[in-house]
Amino acid sequence: MKIRLFLLLFFVSFSSVGFANYLHFDGKLNQYWELDTEGMKQHCASHNPYTWQAIAQKMISVKPLQNKIPDLNQDEVMVIRNLLISAAYNRLFTHSLKLQNTKTPTVKYIWIAAGSQASVTVGHALQAGLADQYPLGSRQRKIFRRLESLHKDVPLIPLLLLSNIDRIKSLTADGNWKVYSDIYWQHLAYTACGYQEIVSLNKKLMQDEPMRASHYEKFLFVWNDMESGRYLDANKKLIYIEQHNILQPQLYDPFDAQTASALGLFNGLAKADLAGPGGRKIDSFNKYSIKHLVYPNLAHFPTRFEWQKYVVTEQALYLQELGTIPTIQAVLQPSLNESYQVINDYLLLTN
């Protein structure tokens, strides 16, 4: 079994990195995590947000793998779910471009494209140190080590945080999932059913969850901007909602996170993997903050929000400048290699 696992991982490592495999892996993932907004139109008349939320969760469910590999442990589930979230963002973004049926589509779902990159970066933090926790020859060590080989920025764990690292990782993974759970279903419903339906769905949630009514009310402004063609404004509003309402209390307000952020311990992860217009490099959080004479504290929401608006604006201009779907897919491909290849490793193990 160990020899078989090694050969599978070795073979896939050198046979599945090219752009030509984008469609191959997308098709394979679609067998288990189907993205079919045309088929989803059957739900448009239900006016039921919980149906859409369930569809979004099915898109990142680990159950298809757990049914085949029942002994997946907590670390594996955490990593796989993050990979599925990253892939789901990427697949929906490129899907939305294809639905426009034009050679040079308009980039609308900017935050979804950015999320496909940010979620990968979150995954690198979650993966830090995992491989070394498992014995040589184990499935977990082989797959986690291979995952590390697919990127170069697994962060070192600061000694100050070692005692709390499991809790910090848990909060980070949960924050990644909460953002996905908040915005992904909305994009699915808007893509499949349009403006009037997404307004109805958010108004339904405002009635059902009065304590969060103001949260869902903000989405009405997002989708109004989107429908009116103010795509960048819509996506900046999305950034505010997710960063202020979801991630700030979840990830940045706890004391140890405040301490780590004030010391800049995780600032190395606050960078943009995509380029700006003309291929120019987008400033990291540190560089942007220093340019604007602000101390680079990730936990300080106004500073982080200004940087993220800058990043998303640069990325939006760049993606639109690329023009065609194949060109955009080629740029997004590196961030997909981790999701597609590692999940494929698990699928191969079930054969």
Side-chain angles (χ1 to χ4, degrees):
M1 178 62 185
K2 290 181 180 179
I3 294 175
R4 178 171 176 262
L5 174 59
F6 174 78
L7 290 174
L8 283 172
L9 297 184
F10 181 88
F11 176 76
V12 176
S13 294
F14 289 94
S15 67
S16 59
V17 295
F19 172 68
N21 286 299
Y22 184 103
L23 294 178
H24 169 72
F25 281 109
D26 187 55
K28 180 166 288 190
L29 284 176
N30 209 54
Q31 296 174 19
Y32 299 92
W33 298 278
E34 186 178 23
L35 176 57
D36 177 18
T37 53
E38 185 64 30
M40 292 175 192
K41 289 182 178 180
Q42 64 180 302
H43 304 297
C44 292
S46 69
H47 310 307
N48 186 350
Y50 309 108
T51 297
W52 292 101
Q53 290 173 353
I55 292 172
Q57 293 307 312
K58 190 175 180 180
M59 288 285 298
I60 60 167
S61 172
V62 184
K63 285 184 179 179
L65 293 180
Q66 287 176 319
N67 290 339
K68 297 174 180 293
I69 310 176
D71 65 336
L72 288 176
N73 67 25
Q74 186 174 350
D75 287 337
E76 290 178 291
V77 169
M78 174 184 71
V79 168
I80 292 169
R81 188 175 70 171
N82 166 260
L83 292 169
L84 288 170
I85 288 174
S86 302
Y89 282 141
N90 203 303
R91 295 173 67 206
L92 180 57
F93 175 69
T94 56
H95 180 70
S96 72
L97 299 178
K98 293 174 184 176
L99 289 177
Q100 296 180 44
N101 293 316
T102 179
K103 185 177 180 180
T104 54
T106 301
V107 174
K108 301 178 182 180
Y109 294 170
I110 305 163
W111 180 228
I112 291 292
S116 74
Q117 309 301 301
S119 182
V120 169
T121 301
V122 167
H124 297 174
L126 299 179
Q127 298 154 23
L130 283 182
D132 293 330
Q133 296 178 20
Y134 292 92
L136 290 171
S138 65
R139 176 186 72 215
Q140 292 87 355
R141 188 182 181 97
K142 282 187 172 71
I143 288 182
F144 291 154
R145 186 67 76 206
R146 179 166 129 66
L147 187 51
E148 289 179 0
S149 74
L150 295 172
H151 56 81
K152 299 178 181 179
D153 62 347
V154 174
L156 296 175
I157 306 300
L159 291 175
L160 179 66
L161 301 177
L162 278 177
S163 61
N164 291 325
I165 195 59
D166 288 341
R167 190 179 73 84
I168 292 173
K169 282 190 176 184
S170 178
L171 288 172
T172 302
D174 194 46
N176 184 228
W177 172 76
K178 283 183 175 179
V179 169
Y180 171 88
S181 300
D182 200 43
I183 67 172
Y184 194 82
W185 72 267
Q186 299 232 12
H187 284 77
L188 281 179
Y190 179 72
T191 301
C193 306
Y195 177 68
Q196 292 301 326
E197 181 62 12
I198 197 63
V199 169
S200 297
L201 294 172
N202 278 287
K203 287 184 175 180
K204 166 73 171 168
L205 287 170
M206 289 167 64
Q207 294 175 346
D208 290 356
E209 303 177 34
M211 295 296 290
R212 302 191 72 210
S214 63
H215 177 75
Y216 293 113
E217 184 179 21
K218 289 181 174 66
F219 279 104
L220 299 182
F221 297 100
V222 169
W223 296 115
N224 182 65
D225 280 350
M226 194 75 77
E227 187 69 7
S228 303
R230 296 187 294 271
Y231 306 122
L232 187 56
D233 289 340
N235 284 276
K236 286 180 179 179
K237 288 181 173 68
L238 277 175
I239 294 172
Y240 181 91
I241 293 170
E242 302 313 321
Q243 289 293 326
H244 183 270
N245 294 7
I246 305 293
L247 291 181
Q248 188 66 33
Q250 169 76 18
L251 203 56
Y252 294 106
D253 284 346
F255 176 74
D256 48 3
Q258 290 278 341
T259 302
S261 296
L263 295 174
L265 297 180
F266 291 136
N267 284 17
L269 291 173
K271 56 185 179 58
D273 291 326
L274 294 181
R280 70 183 176 219
K281 187 175 179 60
I282 297 177
D283 289 343
S284 67
F285 176 73
N286 276 350
K287 188 172 183 179
Y288 180 85
S289 299
I290 292 170
K291 270 187 178 180
H292 291 80
L293 305 179
V294 177
Y295 185 76
N297 182 349
L298 268 176
H300 185 242
F301 172 74
T303 304
R304 190 174 74 254
F305 182 50
E306 287 303 314
W307 174 70
Q308 288 182 321
K309 286 192 295 181
Y310 151 73
V311 168
V312 167
T313 300
E314 290 283 289
Q315 290 179 340
L317 292 171
Y318 177 58
L319 290 170
Q320 193 63 65
E321 183 180 82
L322 291 174
T324 66
I325 294 173
T327 308
I328 292 172
Q329 285 181 324
V331 167
L332 296 178
Q333 175 68 17
S335 66
L336 286 174
N337 284 340
E338 296 171 38
S339 297
Y340 287 159
Q341 292 181 38
V342 173
I343 291 171
N344 192 58
D345 288 343
Y346 280 104
L347 291 174
L348 286 171
L349 291 173
T350 67
N351 292 334

